[in-house]
Amino acid sequence: MTPELPISQAIAEAAQAVRRRSQVTPAIAIITGSGLGPLADEVEAAITIPYRDIPHFPESTVAGHSGALVLGHIAGQTVVVMRGRLHFYEGYPPQAVTFPVRVMHALGARTLFVTNAAGGINPGFQVGDLMLIRDHLFLPGMAGWHPLRGPNDDTLGPRFPSTLGAYDQGLRDLARQKAAEQGLTLREGVYAMVAGPSFETPAEIRFLRLAGADAVGMSTAPEVIVARHAGLRVLGMSLITNIASDDSDAAPLLGEAGHLEVLEAAQAAVPRLTRLARAMIEGIGSTE
Ligand code: HPA
């Protein structure tokens, strides 16, 4: 983002650049989490626009996140998919992390379906579980790293947006119904966002569990806040890619093992998540 430019102008310029490449007016915006980029392969008649071709878009830098917007259709619905999201830990300020959400809203999206990879905190969770997000703990936001900090542009949303019902009740009902139809176990819980990039210490995991968290990750909350600010309905889903250890005497993971574990678990779950996502996307139109 160019800091001196008014945010509304930056959004308009980015949306205009996307419209020049694709005529699709997306009803649903989708953000794919770590290793879940293959969801973007579901898009039919896809137009792929690398982030670097869109003015004011930051570049995604993490392995497993090749950054592009993909526009087209999934299950009869018009969609825009962020293949690869931006993270606070990459060095972007929260305003940059959430800029694409504002652009997808400007393109026409009225629903955000956000996915992520997360560590399981709830003792009942297993690797590979899908968790519908009921609510979140936005730790960086509570500490001041908040995407709506600074002057508010009233054309984008209110100064003090409510976060009650941020994770839409109707969309959660739909997700439960579709999961049941597919014979798929769907967990539900509170997602805690931490800044990363280090994984949590066991003491931090115990702290988060006491605070009511069922899963922990390094994304999602800022995008959801900005989506709600813009009036988008939100559906959030975590894939539990690892169990976060609460044992301070546990053996250390070596090198990149932590992130590789996340990507491997994500890869294994992609077919299941894709099937559920397709059914939900198909059904989202009928809940509006
Ligand atoms: N902690 C934080 N972020 C994550 C984790 C985790 O255990 N797994 C996947 N993303």
Side-chain angles (χ1 to χ4, degrees), residues 117-119 194 199-200 216-218 241-242 244 262:
V194 295
F199 287 105
E200 302 68 43
V216 57
M218 304 173 192
T241 52
N242 58 288
V262 167

Side-chain angles (χ1 to χ4, degrees), residues 5-49:
L5 201 67
I7 175 88
S8 54
Q9 194 182 332
I11 295 166
E13 288 178 10
Q16 193 178 30
V18 173
R19 279 198 207 98
R20 259 188 244 118
R21 302 265 292 260
S22 168
Q23 270 66 59
V24 166
T25 298
I28 304 172
I30 301 170
I31 304 181
T32 62
S34 289
L36 300 173
L39 253 186
D41 298 340
E42 293 298 303
V43 181
E44 296 144 29
I47 299 287
T48 300
I49 311 173

Side-chain angles (χ1 to χ4, degrees), residues 154-170:
D154 294 336
T155 65
L156 300 180
R159 168 76 290 187
F160 299 109
S162 167
T163 56
L164 291 179
Y167 295 86
D168 190 88
Q169 186 70 252

